[in-house]
Amino acid sequence: MSKMIRKASTFEIVNHWILAVSCIFLVVSGFAFLFHLEQLNTVFGSFITLKNLHNWVGVVFVVSLLATVSHYLPVALNLSSEDLVWLSKGGGYIVKNVKLPEQDIINSGQKLYYLAILGAGVLISISGFIIWIAPGSRTLVLISHLLHNLSFIVFVMAIPIHAYLASIANPGTFRIMVQGTVPLEWARKRHGKWVKRLGY
Ligand code: HEM
């Protein structure tokens, strides 16, 4: 049996699920507000209850998002021409068997995904907080609504792609967010740069 190596710590696994569940709840309740899905209000008691839940789950989401920064941001910001090569070849998803540059603990696509989620996450949290505490300025609240909705679109587009790529499309990936470990050979193929750094 292939040697297993650790890709995510217990903290990262637990935090990912807090992030994922809170984010999905926020997206679903966000849809309910946007499209007036009265049935969802009924499930949660009333519109006010759902609104309060949305605000407080938003706090959980932002804390959980900030807890990912030390682990993912340095590697996501470590961009080079190799990332452009990886992206220009579509990460091997469009044309199979292309030669791709070796990847770090996350690949170039995951780096962009992380930066998009972090950027949109910060924007959606700040604008959401402004709407929540609703200061006197009507213009500020209107701009916040616009930014809140624009960053919402990023989540609605990025998360289904992420969930698909992290599960069905790449067998063996989902276990990272369950067990935290991957087979050494699996990691060597997908994250060669990281595996070499670990000394294997
Ligand atoms: C709902 C189904 C989801 C599944 C199956 C899933 C699965 C995964 C897996 C397996 C990883 C580790 C990838 C790796 O280390 O190579 C990961 C990472 C990550 N997930 Fe999710 N996730 C889901 C939802 C979400 C949601 C809703 C968010 C919301 C923000 C999210 C944010 C992240 C982030 C920021 C990372 C780190 C960057 C990356 O590795 O791509 N995930 N996810």
Side-chain angles (χ1 to χ4, degrees):
M1 211 185 104
S2 175
K3 179 181 165 56
M4 304 299 284
I5 55 171
R6 182 153 290 278
K7 195 163 187 287
S9 67
T10 308
F11 174 81
E12 283 149 16
I13 296 170
V14 173
N15 190 53
H16 176 267
W17 290 112
I18 296 173
L19 186 71
V21 172
S22 59
C23 184
I24 290 167
F25 175 81
L26 290 165
V27 168
V28 172
S29 47
F31 265 117
F33 299 140
L34 268 181
F35 300 107
H36 304 280
L37 307 176
E38 305 299 339
Q39 302 90 326
L40 260 172
N41 295 341
T42 330
V43 173
F44 289 94
S46 68
F47 171 79
I48 301 290
T49 317
L50 189 58
K51 188 83 190 71
N52 280 332
L53 268 173
H54 185 86
N55 293 347
W56 287 106
V57 173
V59 176
V60 173
F61 169 78
V62 72
V63 171
S64 171
L65 183 65
L66 292 178
T68 64
V69 168
S70 64
H71 183 66
Y72 287 109
L73 190 58
V75 61
L77 286 177
N78 190 8
L79 295 163
S80 70
S81 55
E82 289 190 339
D83 293 297
L84 276 181
V85 174
W86 192 96
L87 292 167
S88 67
K89 293 184 174 178
Y93 287 104
I94 299 153
V95 180
K96 292 280 166 199
N97 303 320
V98 281
K99 180 119 182 63
L100 296 166
E102 278 193 333
Q103 295 298 294
D104 209 323
I105 188 164
I106 52 173
N107 64 39
S108 313
Q110 288 172 300
K111 287 181 183 179
L112 289 192
Y113 168 73
Y114 181 72
L115 293 174
I117 290 294
L118 184 65
V122 168
L123 209 61
I124 210 162
S125 310
I126 295 174
S127 55
F129 191 67
I130 293 173
I131 297 166
W132 186 3
I133 57 166
S137 167
R138 203 178 128 72
T139 317
L140 186 62
V141 174
L142 275 177
I143 293 170
S144 300
H145 271 289
L146 176 67
L147 295 178
H148 208 66
N149 289 353
L150 288 178
S151 30
F152 179 72
I153 295 171
V154 175
F155 282 93
V156 170
M157 288 188 342
I159 284 160
I161 300 172
H162 166 69
Y164 171 69
L165 291 177
S167 56
I168 308 162
N170 287 295
T173 307
F174 186 65
R175 63 169 289 135
I176 300 166
M177 285 308 163
V178 182
Q179 276 112 326
T181 54
V182 287
L184 178 58
E185 283 317 310
W186 183 97
R188 223 193 282 277
K189 266 189 235 149
R190 293 163 177 82
H191 302 281
K193 203 186 266 182
W194 170 61
V195 169
K196 277 186 190 148
R197 208 173 47 243
L198 292 180
Y200 292 110

